[in-house]
Amino acid sequence: AGETQRVMERRNSSEERSKKRPPGFMPPAPPQTQDHRTKLLSTHSPEKVFQAKRKFNAAQELDTSLHEGEIVAVIEKQDPMGSTSRWLVDNGVTQGYVY
Protein backbone atom coordinates (compact mmCIF):
# COMPACT_ATOMS: atom_id res chain seq x y z
CA ALA A 1 0.00 0.00 0.00
CA GLY A 2 2.95 2.33 0.66
CA GLU A 3 4.10 2.18 -2.99
CA THR A 4 0.65 3.12 -4.30
CA GLN A 5 0.44 6.11 -1.99
CA ARG A 6 3.89 7.35 -3.05
CA VAL A 7 2.96 7.21 -6.76
CA MET A 8 -0.22 9.15 -6.07
CA GLU A 9 1.74 11.82 -4.17
CA ARG A 10 4.13 12.27 -7.09
CA ARG A 11 1.30 12.61 -9.59
CA ASN A 12 -0.47 15.17 -7.43
CA SER A 13 2.68 17.25 -6.93
CA SER A 14 3.36 17.30 -10.69
CA GLU A 15 -0.25 18.38 -11.31
CA GLU A 16 0.24 21.24 -8.84
CA ARG A 17 3.46 22.32 -10.60
CA SER A 18 1.69 22.47 -13.98
CA LYS A 19 -0.98 24.74 -12.44
CA LYS A 20 1.72 27.19 -11.26
CA ARG A 21 2.77 28.26 -14.76
CA PRO A 22 2.75 32.02 -15.21
CA PRO A 23 -0.46 33.52 -16.64
CA GLY A 24 1.25 34.43 -19.92
CA PHE A 25 2.84 30.97 -20.42
CA MET A 26 3.48 30.30 -24.09
CA PRO A 27 4.44 27.07 -25.84
CA PRO A 28 7.91 26.97 -27.42
CA ALA A 29 8.42 29.44 -30.26
CA PRO A 30 8.40 28.26 -33.88
CA PRO A 31 11.84 27.75 -35.45
CA GLN A 32 13.61 30.84 -36.72
CA THR A 33 13.49 31.39 -40.51
CA GLN A 34 16.21 32.66 -42.83
CA ASP A 35 14.24 35.93 -43.13
CA HIS A 36 14.44 36.37 -39.34
CA ARG A 37 18.23 35.78 -39.43
CA THR A 38 18.72 38.22 -42.30
CA LYS A 39 16.70 40.88 -40.44
CA LEU A 40 18.77 40.43 -37.25
CA LEU A 41 22.08 40.58 -39.11
CA SER A 42 21.04 43.73 -40.99
CA THR A 43 19.61 45.63 -38.02
CA HIS A 44 22.11 44.78 -35.25
CA SER A 45 25.87 45.30 -35.08
CA PRO A 46 27.96 42.08 -35.34
CA GLU A 47 29.22 42.30 -31.74
CA LYS A 48 25.61 42.03 -30.48
CA VAL A 49 24.75 38.94 -32.53
CA PHE A 50 25.18 35.46 -30.99
CA GLN A 51 24.17 31.90 -31.84
CA ALA A 52 22.31 29.76 -29.31
CA LYS A 53 24.44 26.74 -28.34
CA ARG A 54 21.48 24.90 -26.79
CA LYS A 55 17.71 24.91 -26.68
CA PHE A 56 16.17 27.22 -24.08
CA ASN A 57 12.60 26.87 -22.85
CA ALA A 58 10.97 29.97 -21.41
CA ALA A 59 10.53 29.52 -17.66
CA GLN A 60 9.20 32.93 -16.60
CA GLU A 61 6.65 35.31 -18.07
CA LEU A 62 9.18 37.62 -19.80
CA ASP A 63 11.43 34.82 -21.10
CA THR A 64 11.56 33.68 -24.72
CA SER A 65 12.19 30.15 -26.01
CA LEU A 66 15.09 29.47 -28.37
CA HIS A 67 16.04 26.53 -30.55
CA GLU A 68 19.65 25.35 -30.72
CA GLY A 69 21.51 27.17 -33.51
CA GLU A 70 19.21 30.20 -33.66
CA ILE A 71 20.77 33.62 -34.04
CA VAL A 72 19.88 36.30 -31.50
CA ALA A 73 20.77 39.93 -31.01
CA VAL A 74 21.54 40.89 -27.41
CA ILE A 75 19.64 44.02 -26.40
CA GLU A 76 20.62 44.11 -22.70
CA LYS A 77 23.18 41.99 -20.85
CA GLN A 78 21.11 42.07 -17.65
CA ASP A 79 17.51 41.77 -16.51
CA PRO A 80 15.47 44.54 -14.79
CA MET A 81 16.73 43.34 -11.39
CA GLY A 82 20.36 43.79 -12.46
CA SER A 83 21.19 40.09 -12.88
CA THR A 84 23.84 39.64 -15.58
CA SER A 85 23.03 35.92 -15.95
CA ARG A 86 19.75 36.73 -17.72
CA TRP A 87 19.97 38.63 -21.04
CA LEU A 88 17.28 40.36 -23.08
CA VAL A 89 17.49 39.10 -26.67
CA ASP A 90 15.71 39.56 -29.99
CA ASN A 91 15.39 36.41 -32.14
CA GLY A 92 13.70 38.17 -35.05
CA VAL A 93 10.27 36.90 -33.99
CA THR A 94 10.04 38.08 -30.40
CA GLN A 95 12.08 39.64 -27.62
CA GLY A 96 12.54 38.09 -24.21
CA TYR A 97 14.99 36.96 -21.56
CA VAL A 98 17.26 33.91 -21.69
CA TYR A 99 19.78 32.45 -19.20
Side-chain angles (χ1 to χ4, degrees):
E3 281 299 313
T4 305
Q5 187 177 5
R6 212 175 288 138
V7 171
M8 295 294 285
E9 287 171 9
R10 282 191 196 128
R11 188 176 72 218
N12 289 339
S13 65
S14 68
E15 285 171 7
E16 288 172 19
R17 278 196 299 272
S18 67
K19 290 176 188 172
K20 291 181 181 175
R21 288 182 173 158
F25 180 79
M26 298 292 289
Q32 186 180 59
T33 66
Q34 188 58 46
D35 286 346
H36 297 135
R37 292 183 183 108
T38 302
K39 176 185 164 194
L40 286 170
L41 293 170
S42 66
T43 57
H44 296 279
S45 57
E47 65 271 5
K48 291 187 178 266
V49 177
F50 294 83
Q51 186 172 29
K53 290 187 174 182
R54 63 178 173 81
K55 182 177 179 178
F56 176 78
N57 291 318
Q60 298 181 37
E61 195 170 348
L62 299 176
D63 291 352
T64 192
S65 294
L66 299 176
H67 297 274
E68 182 178 347
E70 284 189 339
I71 294 174
V72 298
V74 176
I75 298 167
E76 295 250 357
K77 288 188 175 183
Q78 65 180 23
D79 69 10
M81 302 303 288
S83 171
T84 55
S85 64
R86 195 166 169 239
W87 291 4
L88 178 61
V89 300
D90 178 358
N91 69 357
V93 180
T94 185
Q95 292 183 2
Y97 289 94
V98 296
Y99 292 90

